[in-house]
Amino acid sequence: MAHYSRLYTVVIDVPQADHDREAEFWQGAIGPELKANERYPEYHGALLHGQEFALIIQRLGDGESRVHVDIHTDDLEAEVARLERLGAERVQKANDRWWIMRDPAGLPFCVIPDAPGTLHDGNAQRWD
């Protein structure tokens, strides 16, 4: 079945102790205010000016600082299966909503479902 996906977000993962300073730095670097997400308070983010692309600073419970990307899709299972065929592997489902995965080199990324109608030929890749 045809579906859409797009690379939509760069996520900077940082430990709790570094979160506020990291958010302050990146807000100064890119301009827009990095607002707290009401549903997921460990995230502070903004759409980049004039673009359909976002930057998020994520507060980790523990772990090393790193950067990962999020792929958004209108068909979560179809996109995860497509990425598995390319060599990715599922790590875990997060919040019963999206998949944390690893690419062939072992780097983490997430696959996030978008609301129906959000993705289309003008802003995403169509996969048949």
Side-chain angles (χ1 to χ4, degrees):
M1 179 176 182
H3 72 282
Y4 289 97
S5 69
R6 67 177 172 178
L7 181 65
Y8 183 69
T9 312
V10 170
V11 183
I12 300 172
D13 304 314
V14 295
Q16 169 77 28
D18 299 327
H19 180 268
D20 292 345
R21 177 69 181 119
E22 191 74 1
E24 181 181 312
F25 170 81
W26 282 103
Q27 183 170 308
I30 65 169
E33 179 183 357
L34 298 176
K35 297 179 181 177
N37 183 303
E38 291 181 24
R39 186 170 180 189
Y40 303 105
E42 66 273 22
Y43 299 113
H44 285 75
L47 287 174
L48 301 184
H49 183 70
Q51 301 175 47
E52 287 192 28
F53 199 73
L55 175 72
I56 294 176
I57 310 300
Q58 176 177 237
R59 184 183 313 111
L60 297 175
D62 36 330
E64 304 257 335
S65 294
R66 64 181 183 246
V67 174
H68 79 265
V69 297
D70 290 349
I71 295 173
H72 284 227
T73 184
D74 61 355
D75 186 333
L76 184 63
E77 287 307 313
E79 182 65 5
V80 167
R82 185 185 76 80
L83 295 166
E84 286 177 316
R85 288 190 300 275
L86 293 171
E89 64 182 38
R90 297 177 200 222
V91 174
Q92 74 179 65
K93 195 147 190 195
N95 295 313
D96 274 340
R97 189 163 175 264
W98 66 84
W99 276 101
I100 299 169
M101 300 186 73
R102 291 205 185 278
D103 71 11
L107 300 171
F109 68 97
C110 295
V111 182
I112 314 283
D114 262 11
T118 303
L119 302 178
H120 49 78
D121 288 332
N123 67 5
Q125 175 68 46
R126 181 183 168 97
W127 304 102
D128 291 314

